[in-house]
Amino acid sequence: MSEQIEERDYDEYRVIEPLGDWKRTHSCNEITAKNLGEEILIMGWVQFRRDHGGLIFIDLRDREGLTQVVFSPEHNVDAHERAHAIRSEYVVAIKGQVRERPDGMINKNLTTGEIEIVVDEWKLLNTSETPPFAIEDRTDAAEQLRLKYRFLDLRRPALARNFILRNKAAQSVRRYLDGLGFLEVETPVLTKSTPEGARDFLVPSRMNSGEFYALPQSPQLFKQMLMVSGLDRYFQIVKCFRDEDLRADRQPEFTQIDIEMSFVDEEQIMGMAENMIRTVFNETIETALPAEFPRMTFADAMRDYGCDKPDVRFDLKLQEASDIFRGSDFKVFGKAELCKVLRVPDGAQLSRKEIDEYTKFVEIYGSKGLAWIKVKEDGTWQSPIVKFFSEEECTKLQELTGCQPGDILFFQAGAADIVNAALAALRLKLGERFELIDESKFAPLWVTDFPLLEYNPDEKRYVARHHPFTSPQVGQIDELAEKPGDALARAYDLVINGYEIGGGSIRIHTPEMQEKMFAALGIDEEEARAKFGFLMDALKFGAPPHGGIAFGLDRLIMILCGAKSIRDVIAFPKTQKATCLMTEAPSGVASTQLRDLGIRLREKKEA
């Protein structure tokens, strides 16, 4: 009989049945030995189907996990007969009895691995075409294909777990902040363009022809307005938008945990935020972070790690060698703005091929090459550049680095920003190569004492390192006019494992101080009024001292999940070209829509 069914057309079995009075009693991951003998009703997707002669097995999957289901002709002939029509990703409802799995069939890797469901009745709720890739964690499908069929990719257990964890983290944040008296307030999505950072996404206004809204890069000004309004403590889990080049940990639209507080200083904000992150880690992945997060100044971070978000899970540090080679006959080092060296213990084992690959790697960061010295077992140095060093320079380099036989030294010399960026990235690469990074460890770190301003050579003016509403440190107000590059900010970033997950500052709360900041940025009174007039007005009406912090929720979840890309923790992410392969956004619009907006497009030049 079964052979005849397998050969015939299955149309009569593909009737989509209504649920009727069938109500789901359990998820596919919560049935255990404690439920033995119970009648249960589960629903989900067919992960696998296996026909073992007289018995048919399926693994039924929902977002929580898997349960093994058995169709037995001895238990129910009709249910077993119809089960030959079942295929992967069909949607079914199963009603049956919980029983122990036979000896030798227990799966200790599953919560439900000790039991199985023997079917009394079942309903086919929907059929499915064959998916373009396997719905399982170890899929080898290209990311482009998975993004095109994102609704199928999200069925994979690994991704489903990411979004379960994301929800837990968001609820943990809400409970924590609510317990401290914060109010969750929604701020506008259509707002004014105030370009002082990344590019805005602009939205044309139909009712105000020729004028535009901007999507918010953050709710910064609105949360400051809320402090002026006297709401005292605000938070929001909010969408933000930045039209900028993308990386693995960036998206054009992203989610922030946005927080602002009145009548506080840095210590109070950092203490609140630190305890929030500690709570989230404990409640989501049951991991205890240190009772007190270490702190590092921006200057120390740049000196030792070449970046302001160092991964401190391993010890490799950069060392400055500029003084050793200043005026050296080796002009590449002698005339460089900055010369730094990275000592890698036991690194002499690297092959020339590997060194060449690292040389190409640092070129990404503007480097023109990668100098190196291997310390051989007899203590002599092997390198194409050693012949250019004086004996005194070699002695001082040995004293600086403390290099030992078997080590390798890597050098960068040139513009400071390129030297730091190249060696910071190389340090991480070498940490992975020599397995120096404990992937199970979380190393939080506060970075403080940032420069308030930095010089932009393209614009030929100083720009705000964070934003133009950040307060200078106490006693440094005069620096803004006299030495703007020396002023330090009352700002702080929280870094975990080399990722900046949050940043904030104490804000300027007086109109006089805000005017001085605008002046230091080269923003005259007319421009300040046009861009930030509503803020200047608000500061005249008794703005309290206030400050805050914002956390990138997506990046935080990426760290909690151990994901390699931020796209793995966003339900419907964009590609690195800011496109959605599933919906094919962005896309053209009808000419009538453009006419309503008073917009005419330039014709695209033919290639």
Side-chain angles (χ1 to χ4, degrees):
M1 184 66 178
S2 63
E3 291 180 359
Q4 295 175 350
I5 290 176
E6 287 184 343
E7 291 172 359
R8 77 166 85 156
D9 191 347
Y10 291 131
D11 283 349
E12 64 184 279
Y13 295 103
R14 296 178 190 257
V15 176
I16 309 302
E17 301 182 54
L19 286 174
D21 60 355
W22 282 38
K23 308 297 181 189
R24 185 164 56 171
T25 62
H26 297 77
S27 78
C28 289
N29 198 46
E30 63 177 323
I31 309 163
T32 63
K34 72 177 186 298
N35 302 107
L36 289 173
E38 294 180 14
E39 181 179 80
I40 58 93
L41 201 163
I42 55 177
M43 302 178 186
W45 289 263
V46 175
Q47 178 81 19
F48 301 112
R49 170 185 174 275
R50 304 180 298 279
D51 194 336
H52 290 184
L55 300 176
I56 295 175
F57 294 87
I58 66 169
D59 291 331
L60 195 66
R61 183 194 72 244
D62 62 15
R63 77 177 193 193
E64 302 293 338
L66 293 173
T67 296
Q68 180 170 285
V69 174
V70 183
F71 297 87
S72 170
E74 297 178 357
H75 192 79
N76 187 309
V77 174
D78 180 63
H80 176 267
E81 192 76 3
R82 294 174 59 234
H84 286 90
I86 294 175
R87 295 292 181 267
S88 293
E89 298 309 310
Y90 278 21
V91 189
V92 298
I94 302 291
K95 186 184 291 184
Q97 305 291 323
V98 182
R99 72 181 187 187
E100 289 183 311
R101 290 198 189 192
D103 291 340
M105 295 187 65
I106 291 175
N107 186 343
K108 294 182 179 180
N109 295 322
L110 292 179
T111 304
T112 59
E114 295 180 346
I115 60 92
E116 60 189 15
I117 312 301
V118 61
V119 179
D120 294 328
E121 301 178 66
W122 69 280
K123 288 189 175 187
L124 175 63
L125 305 180
N126 212 339
T127 59
S128 172
E129 295 183 1
T130 301
F133 53 85
I135 310 298
E136 55 191 38
D137 287 346
R138 294 184 178 180
T139 181
D140 58 358
E143 186 181 41
Q144 297 289 92
L145 180 63
R146 291 189 290 108
L147 288 176
K148 180 176 177 60
Y149 294 93
R150 184 64 168 182
F151 49 89
L152 294 177
D153 199 31
L154 289 173
R155 290 184 188 175
R156 294 194 297 125
L159 285 192
R161 286 192 295 272
N162 287 353
F163 289 96
I164 293 171
L165 187 146
R166 184 183 176 113
N167 176 69
K168 288 177 67 177
Q171 300 316 314
S172 176
V173 166
R174 284 194 165 96
R175 284 192 302 270
Y176 175 82
L177 294 174
D178 181 65
L180 293 179
F182 283 83
L183 302 179
E184 185 168 9
V185 182
E186 296 177 347
T187 54
V189 173
L190 296 177
T191 184
K192 181 181 177 67
S193 178
T194 56
E196 276 295 318
R199 295 185 184 90
D200 288 327
F201 279 102
L202 299 178
V203 180
S205 171
R206 181 181 61 82
M207 292 184 287
N208 300 276
S209 182
E211 297 185 336
F212 294 81
Y213 301 103
L215 301 181
Q217 295 186 32
S218 86
Q220 180 62 45
L221 296 180
F222 286 105
K223 66 181 181 179
Q224 290 191 240
M225 300 295 106
L226 292 173
M227 297 302 101
V228 179
S229 302
L231 294 190
D232 198 274
R233 292 187 168 200
Y234 141 95
F235 87 97
Q236 186 179 190
I237 298 179
V238 59
K239 278 283 189 181
C240 300
F241 307 85
R242 292 180 186 171
D243 188 3
E244 60 186 354
D245 295 335
L246 307 184
R247 299 196 301 261
D249 62 335
R250 283 187 178 174
Q251 284 280 292
E253 55 178 313
F254 56 96
T255 305
Q256 275 189 188
I257 306 167
D258 203 51
I259 301 170
E260 198 78 3
M261 305 168 71
S262 292
F263 309 111
V264 290
D265 60 16
E266 296 94 320
E267 293 301 323
Q268 290 168 288
I269 295 172
M270 293 167 73
M272 175 279 302
E274 184 173 310
N275 198 46
M276 185 187 79
I277 295 300
R278 197 179 290 112
T279 300
V280 169
F281 269 75
N282 184 52
E283 293 184 354
T284 56
I285 61 173
E286 298 181 351
T287 294
L289 294 180
E292 186 173 334
F293 294 177
R295 300 186 182 189
M296 181 182 297
T297 66
F298 169 84
D300 287 348
M302 295 302 296
R303 181 195 66 205
D304 293 342
Y305 301 97
C307 68
D308 59 2
K309 47 182 182 294
D311 188 340
V312 294
R313 288 176 295 174
F314 62 109
D315 290 332
L316 292 185
K317 291 184 180 180
L318 315 183
Q319 294 174 294
E320 185 171 348
S322 301
D323 289 343
I324 295 175
F325 294 104
R326 190 162 285 115
S328 172
D329 291 338
F330 187 45
K331 303 301 183 184
V332 175
F333 285 10
K335 292 186 176 182
E337 177 187 355
L338 180 66
C339 178
K340 279 190 170 182
V341 57
L342 173 63
R343 172 197 170 199
V344 184
D346 300 320
Q349 61 185 275
L350 290 172
S351 67
R352 187 58 187 265
K353 179 182 178 182
E354 287 178 294
I355 293 173
D356 289 344
E357 288 172 353
Y358 290 135
T359 302
K360 290 181 181 178
F361 172 72
V362 296
E363 289 174 0
I364 298 171
Y365 301 90
S367 171
K368 295 181 179 180
L370 181 63
W372 54 271
I373 295 173
K374 285 185 178 182
V375 185
K376 299 168 71 174
E377 290 303 321
D378 62 4
T380 58
W381 290 5
Q382 174 191 351
S383 170
I385 64 172
V386 171
K387 61 186 177 183
F388 299 109
F389 293 174
S390 69
E391 185 176 341
E392 181 182 4
E393 288 167 348
C394 290
T395 300
K396 288 183 177 180
L397 188 60
Q398 169 70 52
E399 292 172 351
L400 174 70
T401 63
C403 57
Q404 301 294 319
D407 295 350
I408 191 170
L409 305 178
F410 285 111
F411 298 83
Q412 283 289 290
D417 56 345
I418 293 176
V419 168
N420 281 321
L423 282 183
L426 180 62
R427 173 182 177 269
L428 294 176
K429 275 279 190 184
L430 293 167
E432 294 173 357
R433 163 64 176 82
F434 290 98
E435 299 181 349
L436 302 176
I437 304 173
D438 183 352
E439 297 292 348
S440 66
K441 183 180 178 182
F442 297 99
L445 172 73
W446 285 108
V447 179
T448 64
D449 297 324
F450 286 87
L452 183 67
L453 310 175
E454 57 188 4
Y455 190 75
N456 186 318
D458 295 329
E459 299 184 25
K460 297 181 178 179
R461 69 179 181 98
Y462 280 95
V463 297
R465 185 172 183 89
H466 283 78
H467 54 63
F469 319 110
T470 298
S471 178
Q473 290 190 0
V474 177
Q476 296 196 354
I477 293 176
D478 293 338
E479 301 285 349
L480 285 179
E482 299 170 7
K483 298 179 180 179
D486 292 347
L488 297 181
R490 297 179 69 183
Y492 33 83
D493 283 359
L494 184 58
V495 175
I496 297 182
N497 296 0
Y499 290 99
E500 177 204 329
I501 65 163
S505 67
I506 298 297
R507 322 303 186 190
I508 295 170
H509 71 282
T510 67
E512 295 80 11
M513 184 68 250
Q514 190 63 69
E515 288 170 2
K516 289 183 179 181
M517 172 62 91
F518 287 151
L521 294 171
I523 299 174
D524 61 28
E525 186 175 345
E526 183 179 351
E527 184 182 0
R529 168 56 54 181
K531 290 182 176 179
F532 309 109
F534 60 99
L535 171 67
M536 300 299 290
D537 289 342
L539 295 181
K540 296 175 184 177
F541 289 91
H546 61 282
I549 191 167
F551 289 94
L553 179 62
D554 310 305
R555 200 173 292 177
L556 175 60
I557 303 303
M558 184 176 78
I559 292 171
L560 289 167
C561 293
K564 296 299 183 184
S565 168
I566 205 168
R567 292 187 290 277
D568 289 340
V569 299
I570 296 174
F572 299 103
K574 303 291 191 294
T575 67
Q576 288 190 325
K577 292 185 178 180
T579 61
C580 175
L581 299 179
M582 186 181 70
T583 63
E584 298 183 346
S587 61
V589 298
S591 58
T592 53
Q593 290 177 276
L594 295 178
R595 274 200 301 273
D596 285 345
L597 295 168
I599 292 176
R600 183 172 64 186
L601 299 179
R602 293 180 179 178
E603 292 184 8
K604 293 183 178 179
K605 292 183 179 181
E606 294 185 5

